[in-house]
Amino acid sequence: MKNTDSKGHVTGQSIYIDDIPEHAGTLHGAMVLSPIAHGTIKSIDYKAAQNTSGVIKIITPDDIPGENQIGSIVLDEQLFASPEVHFIGQPIALVLAISEEIAWLAAGKVSFDIEEHKAITSPREAAKNHSFLVPPRSFQQGDTVKAWNNCTHIIEGKATSAGQEHLYLETQGSYALPLENGNIKIHSSTQGPTAVQKIVARVLDYPMHKIEVDVNRLGGGFGGKEDQATPWAVMASLGVYLTGKAVKITLPRHIDLMITGKRHPYDYDFKIGLSDDLKIIAFEADYFQNGGAATDLSPAIMERTLFHITNAYYIPNVKGTVYSCRTNLPPNTAFRGFGAPQAIFLMETAIAKAAEKIGVNADVIQQKNLINIGNTFPYGQAPDQDNATAVWKQFDRQFNLEKIKKEINLFNKNNRLKKKGFSLTPICFGISFTNQTMNQARALVHIYQDGSIGVSTGAVEMGQGVNTKMMQVAATVLSVDVSRVKIESTNTTRVANTSPTAASSGADLNGKALEIACNNLKQRLINVAAETLKTTPSKIEIVNEKILHNGIETKMLWEELVTTAHLARVGLTENGHYATPDIHFDKSKEKGHPFAYYVFGMAGTTATIDTLRGTYEIDKVDIVHDFGKTMNRIIDYGQIEGAVVQGIGWMTIEDLVFDETGRMLSNSLSTYKVPDIYSAPNEINIEELETDGNNHAILKSKAVGEPPFNYGIGAFLAIQNAMKAFRNDYSINTNAPISHEKVLMGLYKKS
Ligand code: MTE
Ligand code: LUZ
Ligand code: MOS
């Protein structure tokens, strides 16, 4: 089935926040932003802004009826900074005006008297000052202290990986409308409608039932709207509360780039030890995450880093510690992979450095250490499928590792101005929110009298195709044509207490809830059919809209059955609730079984460098991926292709640069380069792992949103392997991204 949104998208008819027709008298909001990264506000002069024609109201912390607090995990983030500011661009107040242009013009006229304090931008400096968002946390198994004695090879080093801008095509925004009795309806471009509802209620001192949040779809989220869609919805609602008018806020692109959080940059220290026969005996690492100025989702991201420190390998002695460092940058947040890509990057880089020092190919080490059934990850869970090895074997069978290497060697022998490099990236990604409570969802299904079906779930459509998958689930379970199914907007009055659509689990959790609701409705309809046909329910089936009795078609069709049920006063609405079974985690021991299942896979990345210019191209990425049994090949392949390109961008050309005062230098799309068609691989070849699938996944179709992002890490090492082919004394640079500039310098740096 094609993505149900594709026609609307290409014809421009899909509705985003900015496409919602405006009510008469709608006001537009713009934020007054902190000009410095750290300081105490002594006084603010709003006169020039207030006197700007078209300005209706300026909202300050004094106007807030509830709490000036939008923190989620830790309550350490003010809606409007007062009196201290903690990053450049932090909102201080909101200007409401009759147009967006006037609002931003007036906001720019506000002047301040601020006492400036020292700004910290580096996580290592923050760690030195013990400036942490939450206490450090460690996972371990075995005994790394003793294990070093058993290692033949010990390699130590440092590494860094940069942040990453989400660059969702639709910038952050919200449109809030007054309803009767002080109630408010909010259209928000958010992955977490309930998070918005809850925090608006907190700031307005309202019960949650007065706030309705409606999400039609997002023009991309990628994690950037899991928590950080909230402030704009809160500000717009506050505007509605104070003026009684509709209020719209959408961030201009350059403001969105400047003030919203990104993927966490990490600094790393690592030590890896191997035996004579290249078994990894021990691995120890410290991860310094650059959390920015408020906690946001950093502790959860820290946790997902810890869960992925060994990637797809079994290492008997491991210790990993994550330090969540408070700095004077915008609070960093969820981004596809949620801390796991950083962990996997370090593991793969450590292996590459070990291989370089020992003088073997990295794939020898990789293959020898893949995790098998019975081996535990450092937190105690063991994979229940031998898929790491199965992926490797299938990769070799379908892509032929020897052949790839031979071709590259031959090319490199015959070319001086171009060199090719190759790398393998096995991955293993745990599926479930690491916070157990969040692994629940609900779905509300109506079957209308005419046999058509309306479905509401907690899942948010952001381009990943979850609505299409929900249509497929309802149509499959009820055995009707997908054209009968309509997916409604995600709305807190229809489906309450939702988890954000995140952790790649949107389709699984909401799909399972929907499956339950549809199965219950189906059973009810089967009972009606049995009564009408004077038989027992166990002899009735619904297949492709036909009603079968003892396996034989009857004259009764879907529509007639539904009408009969309604006339017999049988309820045609059902609410399904799903909570992932069998998951648990004991934080006091840091052991348990947090994941419903794992997604495995492996990418082989081939890159070509231009040895004169230092430029590069990614020739191809060959992938064996564990889909389980994909329920929608078009969507799932699209998710892999997008994730691979996004991952390559993170590792190669996307470079977020801040100066020491906390000012973002790469603050536009001319200085912050995202991958375009030229930097995408020329080929992405996807093969499906041959497997029976996994019953915890919806219709056995495994979560696919985030895991393939990690395949992009291969580009970092493939490019550098090409550099090694140019000069064999080249030593792998462990600081990502490997920009064209770094390649050029690396090729000609005096050793
Ligand atoms: N694909 C598109 N087109 N746009 C997005 O914003 N977000 C990614 C992934 N794929 C995203 C996307 C992220 S970060 C997640 S967690 C998953 O989709 C969420 O959707 P799912 O849980 O339904 O897979
Ligand atoms: N969000 C979250 C996530 O709150 N918990 C998670 O485990 C997670 N994982 C990936 C992406 N978002
Ligand atoms: Mo995705 S980072 O879980 O929104």
Side-chain angles (χ1 to χ4, degrees), residues 220-223 335-336 462-464 466 501-507 639 705-706:
F222 304 110
F335 195 145
R336 206 174 200 168
M462 57 186 118
Q464 87 280 37
V466 73
T501 298
S504 305
S505 62
Q639 282 294 293
E706 296 169 289

Side-chain angles (χ1 to χ4, degrees), residues 246-513:
V247 175
K248 183 165 159 179
I249 298 176
T250 51
L251 296 192
R253 176 66 66 186
H254 68 283
I255 300 283
D256 190 307
L257 288 173
M258 174 170 75
I259 74 178
T260 63
K262 319 198 182 298
R263 183 184 298 284
H264 291 69
Y266 273 47
D267 274 47
Y268 315 86
D269 292 336
F270 70 90
K271 185 172 174 187
I272 186 169
L274 296 91
S275 65
D276 242 355
D277 61 348
L278 302 180
K279 283 273 188 191
I280 305 175
I281 306 283
F283 180 67
E284 241 181 52
D286 287 331
Y287 304 76
F288 300 91
Q289 61 167 209
N290 191 335
T295 301
D296 192 272
L297 290 164
S298 292
I301 291 162
M302 160 194 263
E303 189 167 71
R304 190 167 278 278
T305 296
L306 288 166
F307 282 119
H308 290 82
I309 47 184
T310 59
N311 189 17
Y313 308 108
Y314 171 63
I315 306 178
N317 304 288
V318 184
K319 181 172 184 201
T321 305
V322 185
Y323 299 86
S324 189
C325 306
R326 186 192 295 275
T327 60
N328 297 108
L329 299 181
N332 286 318
T333 195
F335 195 145
R336 206 174 200 168
F338 206 73
Q342 289 91 331
I344 296 175
F345 164 78
L346 185 67
M347 188 76 250
E348 292 305 319
T349 302
I351 289 176
K353 283 311 258 187
E356 179 176 276
K357 171 127 185 262
I358 300 167
V360 296
N361 268 330
D363 59 7
V364 180
I365 300 176
Q366 290 171 316
Q367 189 179 8
K368 281 201 173 185
N369 291 282
L370 293 173
I371 191 157
N372 296 311
I373 288 188
N375 296 153
T376 52
F377 288 107
Y379 51 91
Q381 187 169 343
D384 62 355
Q385 294 173 298
D386 252 337
N387 288 1
T389 309
V391 161
W392 189 287
K393 285 189 181 148
Q394 194 178 323
F395 187 99
D396 201 11
R397 181 155 44 82
Q398 291 179 316
F399 295 113
N400 195 339
L401 276 172
E402 273 323 299
K403 186 164 159 250
I404 294 174
K405 286 188 204 163
K406 249 192 216 145
E407 283 171 5
I408 289 177
N409 285 340
L410 188 69
F411 178 93
N412 287 341
K413 213 178 272 167
N414 296 331
N415 290 275
R416 177 75 189 152
L417 296 180
K418 294 225 162 134
K419 294 286 180 191
K420 284 188 191 291
F422 179 72
S423 76
L424 281 173
T425 314
I427 65 157
C428 176
F429 194 92
I431 299 298
S432 288
F433 283 97
T434 58
N435 175 345
Q436 189 184 332
T437 300
M438 294 172 82
N439 296 289
Q440 56 171 312
R442 278 153 295 278
L444 179 68
V445 182
H446 302 313
I447 302 179
Y448 294 101
Q449 292 173 50
D450 65 353
S452 67
I453 299 157
V455 171
S456 297
T457 75
V460 168
E461 176 60 50
M462 57 186 118
Q464 87 280 37
V466 73
N467 282 358
T468 308
K469 289 187 171 179
M470 293 305 103
M471 288 172 82
Q472 288 182 275
V473 170
T476 304
V477 177
L478 295 171
S479 201
V480 296
D481 194 84
V482 281
S483 63
R484 298 239 184 226
V485 184
K486 179 188 174 211
I487 306 298
E488 305 288 353
S489 66
T490 316
N491 186 297
T492 54
T493 67
R494 272 179 270 114
V495 179
N497 307 321
T498 59
S499 292
T501 298
S504 305
S505 62
D508 271 355
L509 296 175
N510 294 281
K512 289 273 187 182

Side-chain angles (χ1 to χ4, degrees), residues 443-445 512-522 574-576:
L444 179 68
V445 182
K512 289 273 187 182
L514 179 56
E515 187 180 36
I516 290 167
C518 290
N519 269 322
N520 289 345
L521 284 167
K522 188 175 169 181
E574 181 70 354
N575 181 55

